[in-house]
mmCIF file of all heavy atoms in Angstrom:
data_model
loop_
_atom_site.group_PDB
_atom_site.id
_atom_site.type_symbol
_atom_site.label_atom_id
_atom_site.label_comp_id
_atom_site.label_asym_id
_atom_site.label_seq_id
_atom_site.Cartn_x
_atom_site.Cartn_y
_atom_site.Cartn_z
ATOM 1 N N VAL A 1 0.840 -1.206 0.000
ATOM 2 C CA VAL A 1 0.000 0.000 0.000
ATOM 3 C C VAL A 1 0.873 1.255 0.000
ATOM 4 O O VAL A 1 0.575 2.238 -0.682
ATOM 5 C CB VAL A 1 -0.965 -0.010 1.199
ATOM 6 C CG1 VAL A 1 -1.755 1.294 1.277
ATOM 7 C CG2 VAL A 1 -1.942 -1.185 1.088
ATOM 8 N N LYS A 2 1.964 1.238 0.749
ATOM 9 C CA LYS A 2 2.874 2.383 0.753
ATOM 10 C C LYS A 2 3.476 2.615 -0.633
ATOM 11 O O LYS A 2 3.844 3.749 -0.971
ATOM 12 C CB LYS A 2 3.977 2.179 1.786
ATOM 13 C CG LYS A 2 3.534 2.442 3.216
ATOM 14 C CD LYS A 2 4.719 2.363 4.176
ATOM 15 C CE LYS A 2 4.320 2.782 5.581
ATOM 16 N NZ LYS A 2 5.467 2.743 6.525
ATOM 17 N N ASN A 3 3.582 1.551 -1.422
ATOM 18 C CA ASN A 3 4.113 1.669 -2.783
ATOM 19 C C ASN A 3 3.041 2.020 -3.808
ATOM 20 O O ASN A 3 3.299 2.021 -5.011
ATOM 21 C CB ASN A 3 4.809 0.371 -3.191
ATOM 22 C CG ASN A 3 6.149 0.180 -2.492
ATOM 23 O OD1 ASN A 3 6.818 1.151 -2.131
ATOM 24 N ND2 ASN A 3 6.545 -1.064 -2.290
ATOM 25 N N GLY A 4 1.816 2.305 -3.328
ATOM 26 C CA GLY A 4 0.773 2.781 -4.226
ATOM 27 C C GLY A 4 -0.317 1.801 -4.578
ATOM 28 O O GLY A 4 -1.211 2.131 -5.356
ATOM 29 N N SER A 5 -0.274 0.577 -4.027
ATOM 30 C CA SER A 5 -1.310 -0.420 -4.323
ATOM 31 C C SER A 5 -2.539 -0.219 -3.441
ATOM 32 O O SER A 5 -2.471 0.401 -2.375
ATOM 33 C CB SER A 5 -0.770 -1.834 -4.099
ATOM 34 O OG SER A 5 0.278 -2.129 -4.977
ATOM 35 N N GLN A 6 -3.639 -0.770 -3.875
ATOM 36 C CA GLN A 6 -4.802 -0.916 -3.027
ATOM 37 C C GLN A 6 -4.733 -2.285 -2.360
ATOM 38 O O GLN A 6 -4.097 -3.205 -2.861
ATOM 39 C CB GLN A 6 -6.094 -0.801 -3.839
ATOM 40 C CG GLN A 6 -6.311 0.580 -4.442
ATOM 41 C CD GLN A 6 -7.657 0.693 -5.129
ATOM 42 O OE1 GLN A 6 -8.218 -0.273 -5.614
ATOM 43 N NE2 GLN A 6 -8.184 1.905 -5.186
ATOM 44 N N SER A 7 -5.398 -2.400 -1.201
ATOM 45 C CA SER A 7 -5.435 -3.664 -0.492
ATOM 46 C C SER A 7 -6.869 -3.977 -0.105
ATOM 47 O O SER A 7 -7.739 -3.106 -0.148
ATOM 48 C CB SER A 7 -4.553 -3.598 0.763
ATOM 49 O OG SER A 7 -4.558 -4.847 1.440
ATOM 50 N N SER A 8 -7.108 -5.217 0.274
ATOM 51 C CA SER A 8 -8.456 -5.636 0.671
ATOM 52 C C SER A 8 -8.357 -6.670 1.781
ATOM 53 O O SER A 8 -7.516 -7.564 1.721
ATOM 54 C CB SER A 8 -9.200 -6.219 -0.531
ATOM 55 O OG SER A 8 -10.514 -6.586 -0.171
ATOM 56 N N LEU A 9 -9.221 -6.531 2.797
ATOM 57 C CA LEU A 9 -9.244 -7.470 3.904
ATOM 58 C C LEU A 9 -10.669 -7.896 4.217
ATOM 59 O O LEU A 9 -11.585 -7.070 4.249
ATOM 60 C CB LEU A 9 -8.641 -6.835 5.162
ATOM 61 C CG LEU A 9 -7.119 -6.678 5.224
ATOM 62 C CD1 LEU A 9 -6.738 -5.941 6.498
ATOM 63 C CD2 LEU A 9 -6.435 -8.028 5.176
ATOM 64 N N ALA A 10 -10.839 -9.202 4.444
ATOM 65 C CA ALA A 10 -12.101 -9.707 4.988
ATOM 66 C C ALA A 10 -12.028 -9.473 6.489
ATOM 67 O O ALA A 10 -11.315 -10.187 7.200
ATOM 68 C CB ALA A 10 -12.275 -11.186 4.667
ATOM 69 N N VAL A 11 -12.729 -8.479 6.982
ATOM 70 C CA VAL A 11 -12.487 -7.993 8.339
ATOM 71 C C VAL A 11 -13.046 -8.904 9.428
ATOM 72 O O VAL A 11 -12.744 -8.704 10.605
ATOM 73 C CB VAL A 11 -13.017 -6.556 8.510
ATOM 74 C CG1 VAL A 11 -12.196 -5.590 7.662
ATOM 75 C CG2 VAL A 11 -14.500 -6.455 8.145
ATOM 76 N N ASP A 12 -13.860 -9.902 9.066
ATOM 77 C CA ASP A 12 -14.307 -10.877 10.062
ATOM 78 C C ASP A 12 -13.661 -12.245 9.828
ATOM 79 O O ASP A 12 -14.099 -13.247 10.372
ATOM 80 C CB ASP A 12 -15.829 -11.015 10.090
ATOM 81 C CG ASP A 12 -16.424 -11.390 8.739
ATOM 82 O OD1 ASP A 12 -15.711 -11.305 7.713
ATOM 83 O OD2 ASP A 12 -17.609 -11.761 8.696
ATOM 84 N N GLY A 13 -12.615 -12.283 9.040
ATOM 85 C CA GLY A 13 -11.933 -13.538 8.767
ATOM 86 C C GLY A 13 -10.732 -13.712 9.666
ATOM 87 O O GLY A 13 -10.388 -12.818 10.442
ATOM 88 N N PRO A 14 -10.048 -14.873 9.584
ATOM 89 C CA PRO A 14 -10.362 -15.976 8.675
ATOM 90 C C PRO A 14 -11.386 -16.981 9.219
ATOM 91 O O PRO A 14 -11.879 -17.802 8.480
ATOM 92 C CB PRO A 14 -9.009 -16.657 8.485
ATOM 93 C CG PRO A 14 -8.325 -16.446 9.803
ATOM 94 C CD PRO A 14 -8.768 -15.084 10.282
ATOM 95 N N LYS A 15 -11.678 -16.916 10.511
ATOM 96 C CA LYS A 15 -12.563 -17.928 11.098
ATOM 97 C C LYS A 15 -13.716 -17.328 11.900
ATOM 98 O O LYS A 15 -14.381 -18.026 12.651
ATOM 99 C CB LYS A 15 -11.748 -18.871 11.996
ATOM 100 C CG LYS A 15 -10.678 -19.663 11.245
ATOM 101 C CD LYS A 15 -9.904 -20.572 12.187
ATOM 102 C CE LYS A 15 -8.839 -21.362 11.432
ATOM 103 N NZ LYS A 15 -8.054 -22.237 12.338
ATOM 104 N N GLY A 16 -13.962 -16.031 11.756
ATOM 105 C CA GLY A 16 -15.055 -15.417 12.477
ATOM 106 C C GLY A 16 -14.649 -14.956 13.861
ATOM 107 O O GLY A 16 -13.463 -14.880 14.178
ATOM 108 N N PRO A 17 -15.614 -14.621 14.699
ATOM 109 C CA PRO A 17 -17.074 -14.695 14.479
ATOM 110 C C PRO A 17 -17.540 -13.805 13.323
ATOM 111 O O PRO A 17 -16.937 -12.770 13.047
ATOM 112 C CB PRO A 17 -17.661 -14.196 15.807
ATOM 113 C CG PRO A 17 -16.550 -14.294 16.794
ATOM 114 C CD PRO A 17 -15.289 -14.083 16.038
ATOM 115 N N ILE A 18 -18.598 -14.232 12.671
ATOM 116 C CA ILE A 18 -19.120 -13.507 11.539
ATOM 117 C C ILE A 18 -19.584 -12.114 11.955
ATOM 118 O O ILE A 18 -20.110 -11.925 13.058
ATOM 119 C CB ILE A 18 -20.278 -14.307 10.885
ATOM 120 C CG1 ILE A 18 -20.646 -13.705 9.527
ATOM 121 C CG2 ILE A 18 -21.488 -14.391 11.808
ATOM 122 C CD1 ILE A 18 -21.603 -14.568 8.724
ATOM 123 N N TYR A 19 -19.318 -11.142 11.107
ATOM 124 C CA TYR A 19 -19.729 -9.748 11.285
ATOM 125 C C TYR A 19 -19.100 -9.095 12.511
ATOM 126 O O TYR A 19 -19.674 -8.191 13.106
ATOM 127 C CB TYR A 19 -21.255 -9.627 11.331
ATOM 128 C CG TYR A 19 -21.965 -10.229 10.143
ATOM 129 C CD1 TYR A 19 -23.145 -10.939 10.297
ATOM 130 C CD2 TYR A 19 -21.441 -10.105 8.850
ATOM 131 C CE1 TYR A 19 -23.797 -11.498 9.209
ATOM 132 C CE2 TYR A 19 -22.073 -10.663 7.755
ATOM 133 C CZ TYR A 19 -23.258 -11.369 7.943
ATOM 134 O OH TYR A 19 -23.894 -11.926 6.859
ATOM 135 N N GLU A 20 -17.918 -9.557 12.880
ATOM 136 C CA GLU A 20 -17.154 -8.921 13.955
ATOM 137 C C GLU A 20 -15.845 -8.422 13.356
ATOM 138 O O GLU A 20 -15.033 -9.219 12.882
ATOM 139 C CB GLU A 20 -16.879 -9.906 15.088
ATOM 140 C CG GLU A 20 -16.093 -9.309 16.242
ATOM 141 C CD GLU A 20 -15.859 -10.299 17.356
ATOM 142 O OE1 GLU A 20 -16.856 -10.830 17.896
ATOM 143 O OE2 GLU A 20 -14.675 -10.564 17.678
ATOM 144 N N VAL A 21 -15.629 -7.115 13.372
ATOM 145 C CA VAL A 21 -14.457 -6.530 12.727
ATOM 146 C C VAL A 21 -13.216 -6.758 13.585
ATOM 147 O O VAL A 21 -13.177 -6.381 14.762
ATOM 148 C CB VAL A 21 -14.664 -5.015 12.483
ATOM 149 C CG1 VAL A 21 -13.411 -4.407 11.844
ATOM 150 C CG2 VAL A 21 -15.881 -4.783 11.594
ATOM 151 N N LYS A 22 -12.188 -7.364 12.987
ATOM 152 C CA LYS A 22 -10.913 -7.585 13.667
ATOM 153 C C LYS A 22 -10.019 -6.349 13.491
ATOM 154 O O LYS A 22 -10.151 -5.607 12.517
ATOM 155 C CB LYS A 22 -10.220 -8.816 13.095
ATOM 156 C CG LYS A 22 -11.079 -10.085 13.080
ATOM 157 C CD LYS A 22 -11.344 -10.580 14.475
ATOM 158 C CE LYS A 22 -12.186 -11.848 14.445
ATOM 159 N NZ LYS A 22 -11.561 -12.963 13.726
ATOM 160 N N PRO A 23 -9.073 -6.120 14.414
ATOM 161 C CA PRO A 23 -8.291 -4.871 14.391
ATOM 162 C C PRO A 23 -7.212 -4.786 13.322
ATOM 163 O O PRO A 23 -6.619 -3.727 13.128
ATOM 164 C CB PRO A 23 -7.667 -4.841 15.792
ATOM 165 C CG PRO A 23 -7.604 -6.267 16.218
ATOM 166 C CD PRO A 23 -8.812 -6.927 15.620
ATOM 167 N N GLY A 24 -6.933 -5.877 12.606
ATOM 168 C CA GLY A 24 -5.865 -5.840 11.605
ATOM 169 C C GLY A 24 -6.059 -4.763 10.557
ATOM 170 O O GLY A 24 -5.096 -4.117 10.124
ATOM 171 N N VAL A 25 -7.288 -4.541 10.140
ATOM 172 C CA VAL A 25 -7.557 -3.536 9.108
ATOM 173 C C VAL A 25 -7.248 -2.128 9.627
ATOM 174 O O VAL A 25 -6.786 -1.263 8.869
ATOM 175 C CB VAL A 25 -9.024 -3.638 8.624
ATOM 176 C CG1 VAL A 25 -10.011 -3.271 9.734
ATOM 177 C CG2 VAL A 25 -9.246 -2.763 7.402
ATOM 178 N N VAL A 26 -7.475 -1.907 10.913
ATOM 179 C CA VAL A 26 -7.167 -0.603 11.509
ATOM 180 C C VAL A 26 -5.660 -0.381 11.535
ATOM 181 O O VAL A 26 -5.164 0.706 11.207
ATOM 182 C CB VAL A 26 -7.761 -0.497 12.927
ATOM 183 C CG1 VAL A 26 -7.431 0.866 13.547
ATOM 184 C CG2 VAL A 26 -9.269 -0.718 12.907
ATOM 185 N N GLU A 27 -4.909 -1.409 11.929
ATOM 186 C CA GLU A 27 -3.448 -1.301 11.960
ATOM 187 C C GLU A 27 -2.895 -1.038 10.567
ATOM 188 O O GLU A 27 -1.980 -0.215 10.392
ATOM 189 C CB GLU A 27 -2.850 -2.588 12.524
ATOM 190 C CG GLU A 27 -1.336 -2.573 12.668
ATOM 191 C CD GLU A 27 -0.833 -1.579 13.701
ATOM 192 O OE1 GLU A 27 -1.654 -1.059 14.505
ATOM 193 O OE2 GLU A 27 0.377 -1.304 13.707
ATOM 194 N N LEU A 28 -3.440 -1.708 9.557
ATOM 195 C CA LEU A 28 -2.985 -1.495 8.179
ATOM 196 C C LEU A 28 -3.240 -0.059 7.745
ATOM 197 O O LEU A 28 -2.369 0.584 7.141
ATOM 198 C CB LEU A 28 -3.701 -2.477 7.244
ATOM 199 C CG LEU A 28 -3.392 -2.360 5.755
ATOM 200 C CD1 LEU A 28 -1.901 -2.494 5.476
ATOM 201 C CD2 LEU A 28 -4.175 -3.421 4.973
ATOM 202 N N ALA A 29 -4.409 0.465 8.055
ATOM 203 C CA ALA A 29 -4.738 1.844 7.677
ATOM 204 C C ALA A 29 -3.848 2.844 8.415
ATOM 205 O O ALA A 29 -3.368 3.825 7.834
ATOM 206 C CB ALA A 29 -6.206 2.124 7.971
ATOM 207 N N ARG A 30 -3.603 2.603 9.694
ATOM 208 C CA ARG A 30 -2.747 3.506 10.475
ATOM 209 C C ARG A 30 -1.322 3.519 9.938
ATOM 210 O O ARG A 30 -0.709 4.583 9.788
ATOM 211 C CB ARG A 30 -2.715 3.049 11.937
ATOM 212 C CG ARG A 30 -3.937 3.377 12.771
ATOM 213 C CD ARG A 30 -3.787 2.698 14.113
ATOM 214 N NE ARG A 30 -4.753 3.138 15.086
ATOM 215 C CZ ARG A 30 -4.892 2.579 16.288
ATOM 216 N NH1 ARG A 30 -4.136 1.533 16.609
ATOM 217 N NH2 ARG A 30 -5.794 3.033 17.143
ATOM 218 N N ARG A 31 -0.782 2.340 9.655
ATOM 219 C CA ARG A 31 0.622 2.225 9.249
ATOM 220 C C ARG A 31 0.871 2.764 7.848
ATOM 221 O O ARG A 31 2.005 3.105 7.505
ATOM 222 C CB ARG A 31 1.068 0.765 9.334
ATOM 223 C CG ARG A 31 1.022 0.170 10.739
ATOM 224 C CD ARG A 31 2.255 0.501 11.551
ATOM 225 N NE ARG A 31 3.452 -0.099 10.998
ATOM 226 C CZ ARG A 31 3.872 -1.334 11.278
ATOM 227 N NH1 ARG A 31 3.175 -2.096 12.120
ATOM 228 N NH2 ARG A 31 4.975 -1.798 10.747
ATOM 229 N N THR A 32 -0.157 2.815 7.027
ATOM 230 C CA THR A 32 0.006 3.306 5.655
ATOM 231 C C THR A 32 -0.516 4.725 5.465
ATOM 232 O O THR A 32 -0.190 5.378 4.473
ATOM 233 C CB THR A 32 -0.742 2.397 4.664
ATOM 234 O OG1 THR A 32 -2.143 2.383 4.985
ATOM 235 C CG2 THR A 32 -0.195 0.976 4.713
ATOM 236 N N GLY A 33 -1.365 5.197 6.397
ATOM 237 C CA GLY A 33 -1.959 6.518 6.261
ATOM 238 C C GLY A 33 -3.065 6.598 5.232
ATOM 239 O O GLY A 33 -3.493 7.689 4.859
ATOM 240 N N GLN A 34 -3.546 5.430 4.772
ATOM 241 C CA GLN A 34 -4.582 5.408 3.747
ATOM 242 C C GLN A 34 -5.944 5.083 4.363
ATOM 243 O O GLN A 34 -6.031 4.414 5.389
ATOM 244 C CB GLN A 34 -4.235 4.379 2.668
ATOM 245 C CG GLN A 34 -2.930 4.652 1.937
ATOM 246 C CD GLN A 34 -2.901 6.016 1.259
ATOM 247 O OE1 GLN A 34 -3.932 6.594 0.944
ATOM 248 N NE2 GLN A 34 -1.696 6.535 1.041
ATOM 249 N N PRO A 35 -7.028 5.547 3.738
ATOM 250 C CA PRO A 35 -8.359 5.358 4.305
ATOM 251 C C PRO A 35 -8.886 3.938 4.136
ATOM 252 O O PRO A 35 -8.450 3.191 3.268
ATOM 253 C CB PRO A 35 -9.215 6.343 3.511
ATOM 254 C CG PRO A 35 -8.538 6.449 2.193
ATOM 255 C CD PRO A 35 -7.061 6.355 2.500
ATOM 256 N N ILE A 36 -9.839 3.606 4.994
ATOM 257 C CA ILE A 36 -10.564 2.342 4.916
ATOM 258 C C ILE A 36 -11.857 2.598 4.154
ATOM 259 O O ILE A 36 -12.614 3.506 4.498
ATOM 260 C CB ILE A 36 -10.879 1.805 6.320
ATOM 261 C CG1 ILE A 36 -9.579 1.546 7.096
ATOM 262 C CG2 ILE A 36 -11.724 0.537 6.235
ATOM 263 C CD1 ILE A 36 -9.790 1.378 8.585
ATOM 264 N N VAL A 37 -12.105 1.808 3.124
ATOM 265 C CA VAL A 37 -13.319 1.959 2.310
ATOM 266 C C VAL A 37 -14.176 0.710 2.481
ATOM 267 O O VAL A 37 -13.809 -0.364 2.003
ATOM 268 C CB VAL A 37 -12.975 2.181 0.823
ATOM 269 C CG1 VAL A 37 -14.257 2.297 -0.005
ATOM 270 C CG2 VAL A 37 -12.110 3.427 0.648
ATOM 271 N N PRO A 38 -15.316 0.809 3.172
ATOM 272 C CA PRO A 38 -16.179 -0.363 3.361
ATOM 273 C C PRO A 38 -16.969 -0.679 2.096
ATOM 274 O O PRO A 38 -17.346 0.232 1.341
ATOM 275 C CB PRO A 38 -17.117 0.072 4.495
ATOM 276 C CG PRO A 38 -17.167 1.553 4.396
ATOM 277 C CD PRO A 38 -15.836 1.995 3.864
ATOM 278 N N LEU A 39 -17.234 -1.962 1.862
ATOM 279 C CA LEU A 39 -18.053 -2.348 0.713
ATOM 280 C C LEU A 39 -18.745 -3.669 0.985
ATOM 281 O O LEU A 39 -18.268 -4.495 1.759
ATOM 282 C CB LEU A 39 -17.221 -2.447 -0.563
ATOM 283 C CG LEU A 39 -16.281 -3.650 -0.726
ATOM 284 C CD1 LEU A 39 -16.048 -3.947 -2.200
ATOM 285 C CD2 LEU A 39 -14.959 -3.405 -0.032
ATOM 286 N N ARG A 40 -19.887 -3.864 0.317
ATOM 287 C CA ARG A 40 -20.626 -5.116 0.383
ATOM 288 C C ARG A 40 -21.150 -5.459 -1.008
ATOM 289 O O ARG A 40 -21.205 -4.594 -1.901
ATOM 290 C CB ARG A 40 -21.791 -5.025 1.368
ATOM 291 C CG ARG A 40 -21.352 -4.803 2.796
ATOM 292 C CD ARG A 40 -22.495 -4.914 3.778
ATOM 293 N NE ARG A 40 -22.913 -6.303 3.954
ATOM 294 C CZ ARG A 40 -23.886 -6.685 4.778
ATOM 295 N NH1 ARG A 40 -24.556 -5.788 5.483
ATOM 296 N NH2 ARG A 40 -24.193 -7.954 4.906
ATOM 297 N N THR A 41 -21.549 -6.715 -1.187
ATOM 298 C CA THR A 41 -22.047 -7.163 -2.484
ATOM 299 C C THR A 41 -23.397 -7.850 -2.322
ATOM 300 O O THR A 41 -23.763 -8.300 -1.239
ATOM 301 C CB THR A 41 -21.072 -8.158 -3.137
ATOM 302 O OG1 THR A 41 -21.109 -9.404 -2.425
ATOM 303 C CG2 THR A 41 -19.653 -7.618 -3.150
#
């Protein structure tokens, strides 16, 4: 991400509980200074 890529995380993975956001995505956003963009399908 620091080199300009986008990244994606399943925030309740890899084993759940379902619909519970894990802190890894927050750490990634903090360390790179890039925003978190939520999405669903």
